[in-house]
Amino acid sequence: AQRVTQPEKLLSVFKGAPVELKCNYSYSGSPELFWYVQYSRQRLQLLLRHISRESIKGFTADLNKGETSFHLKKPFAQEEDSAMYYCALVTGGTSYGKLTFGQGTILTVHP
Amino acid sequence: DTAVSQTPKYLVTQMGNDKSIKCEQNLGHDTMYWYKQDSKKFLKIMFSYNNKELIINETVPNRFSPKSPDKAHLNLHINSLELGDSAVYFCASSLVAYEQYFGPGTRLTVT
């Protein structure tokens, strides 16, 4: 069965410091991984997907199949990055698949 | 012009009662979902419907019954509520499984 693990429940950094939110997965198929974010008083929303290899709000994430990881990184954290971050794995295909979420990491960026 | 809406936002009820949560989306998506977020913020899929057909049914007690009158609506009915049902319930919709649009959540408290 698939599994997504985010080992850090809470992560605190100071503004301008680098930040890395860890995500590891377990899946027998070809993994498709995503990061979702929930800012205070906002809805959970898609932040980025591994297949696009894009940078969103300064965040990037690289899929490392050897280490079965998909860590989210940003070189210089901003206060507005404070939020709950979920790593997610999609299984079952594009149309009828489902998302399996990690436990979530609450990121706090201090001024 | 809310994309995915849920009612009610808060629901406080006693053990043994039956309650329903409603969800509507105006995005024209074919697939809708129900998730449960527990007190530790762990987010887990419960059900998924595609064009009014049930396609995902995770290990959820029979007391939980989803109903989809049309593809824009997915309601969740819960019978004989228990203390352990207290959680935040999220509805979501999507065209593709990895990009889901979430509702604001319904906080259910069972006393």
Side-chain angles (χ1 to χ4, degrees), chain A:
Chain A
Q2 66 277 2
R3 187 181 178 92
V4 178
T5 304
Q6 292 177 248
E8 301 142 330
K9 184 66 185 173
L10 301 169
L11 185 61
S12 289
V13 299
F14 285 99
K15 178 181 172 182
V19 64
E20 180 180 69
L21 290 85
K22 291 186 168 46
C23 172
N24 289 90
Y25 68 90
S26 172
Y27 182 52
S28 57
S30 182
E32 292 186 59
L33 285 139
F34 307 86
W35 278 96
Y36 273 73
V37 63
Q38 186 172 24
Y39 300 104
S40 179
R41 301 183 190 282
Q42 293 188 31
R43 299 167 187 224
L44 188 62
Q45 58 188 290
L46 177 64
L47 177 64
L48 58 79
R49 61 193 84 163
H50 89 270
I51 201 165
S52 63
R53 302 185 65 81
E54 57 193 345
S55 171
I56 303 292
K57 298 185 179 184
F59 284 98
T60 58
D62 290 319
L63 178 62
N64 186 324
K65 292 186 180 180
E67 295 182 359
T68 59
S69 68
F70 187 57
H71 303 328
L72 183 68
K73 300 177 185 178
K74 184 168 183 176
F76 307 103
Q78 302 300 312
E79 289 178 69
E80 55 265 30
D81 296 328
S82 296
M84 167 72 97
Y85 291 81
Y86 287 98
C87 183
L89 170 72
V90 72
T91 57
T94 301
S95 296
Y96 302 117
K98 69 173 186 179
L99 284 172
T100 298
F101 286 93
Q103 302 93 318
T105 297
I106 299 172
L107 173 65
T108 303
V109 181
H110 299 285

Side-chain angles (χ1 to χ4, degrees), chain B residues 55-99:
Chain B
I55 54 171
I56 293 174
N57 185 350
E58 295 291 291
T59 308
V60 177
N62 290 337
R63 301 181 293 103
F64 290 80
S65 54
K67 285 188 172 48
S68 183
D70 54 62
K71 75 173 194 177
H73 296 83
L74 180 62
N75 303 323
L76 183 65
H77 188 75
I78 315 170
N79 288 329
S80 304
L81 278 155
E82 300 177 357
L83 291 176
D85 298 332
S86 295
V88 180
Y89 292 84
F90 287 98
C91 176
S93 73
S94 73
L95 277 177
V96 289
Y98 63 79
E99 187 165 9

